[in-house]
């Protein structure tokens, strides 16, 4: 049976390149992976005062992650880091202490940017933060997609061959990673 992967998308923008990358990955991934796109609209701010009675949207996000065999973060870069919505989702998912929903789940990180550096700082930021509350993070291959601004047509289809190639390579490597490290 295919392994389910929660693909957490770090942008809320309607025409988000990150979302388009996530959809492209879902199409390119090998049959051993079933990618499910998780957007973060409506996920309320983490507030430690609410931990005893968590809001329904936190519970639902945590359950989505817990039902998955693996998690793939697909993120843009904001000010050399990850966007606040993604950080908030990570904070929500990482609690309660010792019971992070990400624990034990193989993790992949895909950063992208229309700019030249491909969101490398956002990816590094995640790599720095995740080890304390997640499962094994795939370190190779690394993927920082630059120049994504002209990678999609007006229907959101991926039209850049070079990008398709690296996404396919990444998806294949991640499938092997999930197979090896799945709980
Ligand atoms: C607040 C903000 C900060 C940004 N900082 C960076 C940055 O540090 N590095 C970068 O490559 N692009 C940066 N950008 C440009 C984003 O890469 C670009 O807006 C991209 O389209 C956002 O991803 P999305 O298309 O998935 O929404 C920034 C954009 C915003 C709105």
């Amino acid at each position: 049976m295919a392994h389910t992967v929660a693909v957490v998308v770090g942008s809320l923008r309607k025409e988000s390149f990150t979302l388009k990358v996530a959809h492209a990955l879902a199409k390119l991934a090998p049959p051993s992976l079933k990618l499910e796109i998780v957007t973060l609209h409506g996920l309320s701010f983490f507030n430690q005062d609410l931990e005893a009675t968590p809001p329904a949207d936190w519970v639902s996000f945590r359950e989505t992650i817990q039902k998955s065999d693996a998690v793939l973060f697909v993120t843009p870069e904001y000010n050399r880091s990850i966007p606040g919505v993604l950080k908030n989702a990570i904070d929500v998912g990482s609690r309660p202490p010792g019971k992070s929903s990400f624990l034990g789940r193989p993790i992949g990180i895909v950063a992208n940017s229309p700019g030249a550096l491909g969101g490398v700082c956002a990816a590094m930021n995640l790599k720095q933060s995740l080890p304390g509350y997640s499962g094994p993070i795939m370190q190779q291959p690394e993927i920082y997609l630059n120049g994504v601004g002209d990678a999609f047509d007006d229907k959101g289809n991926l039209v850049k061959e070079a990008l398709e190639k690296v996404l396919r390579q990444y998806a294949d490597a991640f499938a092997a990673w999930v197979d090896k490290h799945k709980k």
Side-chain angles (χ1 to χ4, degrees):
M1 215 172 62
H3 303 313
T4 57
V5 180
V7 183
V8 181
V9 176
S11 170
L12 303 180
R13 202 166 72 84
K14 229 182 299 166
E15 290 299 325
S16 162
F17 298 122
T18 307
L19 182 61
K20 290 173 187 171
V21 168
H23 281 299
L25 272 165
K27 275 193 204 154
L28 291 169
S32 66
L33 293 185
K34 184 166 176 259
L35 271 61
E36 291 170 352
I37 309 288
V38 180
T39 57
L40 302 172
H41 304 86
L43 186 65
S44 53
F45 272 133
F46 181 76
N47 174 348
Q48 212 171 342
D49 288 340
L50 306 180
E51 286 207 281
T53 50
D57 59 273
W58 295 7
V59 174
S60 162
F61 177 73
R62 288 169 180 166
E63 283 174 358
T64 299
I65 301 299
Q66 287 161 16
K67 275 191 231 145
S68 313
D69 297 310
V71 181
L72 188 56
F73 292 99
V74 184
T75 186
E77 180 172 291
Y78 275 10
N79 297 317
R80 299 291 180 258
S81 185
I82 56 171
V85 285
L86 181 55
K87 179 63 166 63
N88 184 57
I90 286 171
D91 292 342
V92 168
S94 69
R95 303 288 287 191
K99 291 189 178 155
S100 163
S101 300
F102 304 111
L103 266 185
R105 289 177 172 72
I107 303 285
I109 299 170
V110 175
N112 80 97
S113 171
L117 302 180
V120 61
C121 295
M124 289 304 166
N125 193 279
L126 279 176
K127 282 186 190 178
Q128 186 184 25
S129 145
L130 282 163
Y133 51 87
S134 81
I137 303 164
M138 187 168 82
Q139 302 290 346
Q140 284 112 27
E142 298 176 285
I143 187 164
Y144 315 114
L145 304 169
N146 63 2
V148 295
D150 60 357
F152 300 92
D153 67 16
D154 55 6
K155 293 195 176 70
N157 299 310
L158 182 57
V159 292
K160 232 179 184 178
E161 241 173 69
L163 201 141
E164 182 174 330
K165 189 174 165 196
V166 291
L167 280 180
R168 198 182 294 282
Q169 284 169 348
Y170 188 88
D172 288 346
F174 191 58
W177 185 256
V178 174
D179 217 31
K180 187 168 174 194
H181 293 284
K182 188 182 161 270
K183 262 185 175 181

